[in-house]
């Protein structure tokens, strides 16, 4: 399967702990996105990378959140000092732009539960 | 700020009963309007991209259309396997701005 993969699929943690999620995009895609989705809502944009450069961050991305994409390949999203409000599905997507707007293809998501 | 509103929130259909989902939007500089399908506990699955008013795209029992202010997703003669949440999103810049979705349930 050559789609977007995310690890882990589920994460349960206690309030105050740090968590890290990984995303592996489709191999030829140079753009990578992180979104967050809560129950009954559509995904909300968090941040965007073109190759290794983080080009846009949402104001939803507080100082406790940090994302990286070393060498323009996989990406990690870290949440420090987790809060119960961080409980959500974290989705990664990738796209390849060559002129027009590239469709974003999503991974299966990481479901985070903060107790 | 980009806004996307989907209606209805939920739609219950009998197998074979055709219907339409609505997505109304306000955005500065629309680069594309996207439809996705999402099954419970999974990531959104790409369906269509529409770029300009008057454009239409079809895939099996689904047909998407676009005007300057809204898009419709028509489901013709649905089957139970079409049950899912259908998400609409607009792109201005790099990010997608999503609506809350329409959850479609098709009964046999």
């Amino acid at each position: 399967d050559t789609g977007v993969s995310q690890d882990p699929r589920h994460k349960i943690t206690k309030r105050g702990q740090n968590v890290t999620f990984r995303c592996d995009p489709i191999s030829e895609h140079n753009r990578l996105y992180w979104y967050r989705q809560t129950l009954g809502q559509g995904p909300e944009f968090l941040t965007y990378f073109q190759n290794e450069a983080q080009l846009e961050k949402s104001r939803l991305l507080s100082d406790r959140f940090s994302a990286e994409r070393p060498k323009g390949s996989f990406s990690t999203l870290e949440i420090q000092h987790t809060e119960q409000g961080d409980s959500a599905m974290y989705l990664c997507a990738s796209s390849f732009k060559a002129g027009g707007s590239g469709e974003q293809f999503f991974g299966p998501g990481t479901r985070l539960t903060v107790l | 700020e980009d806004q996307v509103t989907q209606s209805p929130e939920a739609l219950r259909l009998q197998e074979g009963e055709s219907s339409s989902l609505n997505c109304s939007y306000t955005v500065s500089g629309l680069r594309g309007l996207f439809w996705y399908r999402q099954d419970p506990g999974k990531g959104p699955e790409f369906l269509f991209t529409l770029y300009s008013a008057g454009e239409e795209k079809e895939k099996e029992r689904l047909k998407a259309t676009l005007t300057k202010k809204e898009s419709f997703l028509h489901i013709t003669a649905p089957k139970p396997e079409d049950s899912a949440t259908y998400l609409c999103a607009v792109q201005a810049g790099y990010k997608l701005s999503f609506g809350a979705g329409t959850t479609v349930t098709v009964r046999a």
Side-chain angles (χ1 to χ4, degrees):
Chain A
D1 191 313
T2 57
V4 178
S5 61
Q6 293 187 244
D7 184 70
R9 296 292 308 279
H10 303 274
K11 179 71 177 178
I12 299 174
T13 191
K14 293 182 178 179
R15 189 175 52 187
Q17 298 295 304
N18 299 341
V19 295
T20 300
F21 310 140
R22 176 180 171 125
C23 170
D24 287 272
I26 294 170
S27 59
E28 64 270 23
H29 284 186
N30 60 342
R31 297 185 168 191
L32 187 147
Y33 313 79
W34 285 98
Y35 292 82
R36 180 171 69 187
Q37 185 177 26
T38 53
L39 198 62
Q41 300 299 314
E44 293 177 293
F45 171 79
L46 293 178
T47 190
Y48 155 68
F49 290 86
Q50 181 165 316
N51 300 313
E52 66 274 11
Q54 188 175 20
L55 298 185
E56 189 171 349
K57 291 170 61 173
S58 164
R59 58 180 179 272
L60 292 175
L61 214 65
S62 75
D63 291 343
R64 296 185 298 105
F65 289 71
S66 63
E68 295 182 340
R69 192 182 182 199
K71 302 179 182 178
S73 55
F74 71 92
S75 176
T76 58
L77 178 68
E78 180 183 15
I79 309 174
Q80 295 184 325
H81 313 301
T82 52
E83 302 173 355
Q84 289 186 324
D86 296 331
S87 295
M89 174 80 90
Y90 289 84
L91 293 162
C92 176
S94 70
S95 70
F96 178 73
K97 183 183 187 315
S101 60
E103 290 82 5
Q104 295 182 22
F105 294 90
F106 284 81
T110 295
R111 179 163 297 283
L112 173 67
T113 302
V114 182
L115 302 175
Chain B
E1 186 172 322
D2 305 337
Q3 281 200 310
V4 181
T5 304
Q6 292 188 246
S7 61
E9 290 184 10
L11 191 59
R12 297 175 68 87
L13 301 172
Q14 281 293 133
E15 184 172 4
E17 178 188 1
S18 301
S19 189
S20 295
L21 284 55
N22 177 264
C23 170
S24 61
Y25 64 90
T26 55
V27 62
S28 298
L30 179 71
R31 296 182 63 189
L33 185 139
F34 299 81
W35 283 97
Y36 287 85
R37 169 191 169 127
Q38 187 172 30
D39 293 306
K42 297 188 176 181
E45 175 189 346
F46 171 75
L47 293 174
F48 303 109
T49 310
L50 301 167
Y51 293 104
S52 57
E55 190 174 359
E56 298 182 353
K57 292 214 176 149
E58 287 189 65
K59 179 180 179 179
E60 296 181 355
R61 295 175 293 281
L62 301 177
K63 178 180 177 180
T65 61
L66 181 65
T67 72
K68 288 186 178 179
K69 293 186 176 181
E70 56 190 352
S71 177
F72 293 92
L73 184 66
H74 308 277
I75 309 178
T76 302
K79 298 182 178 181
E81 53 262 42
D82 295 322
S83 297
T85 295
Y86 291 86
L87 296 165
C88 170
V90 296
Q91 183 176 27
Y94 303 114
K95 69 178 185 181
L96 295 179
S97 297
F98 283 86
T102 294
T103 299
V104 175
T105 304
V106 183
R107 295 168 290 175

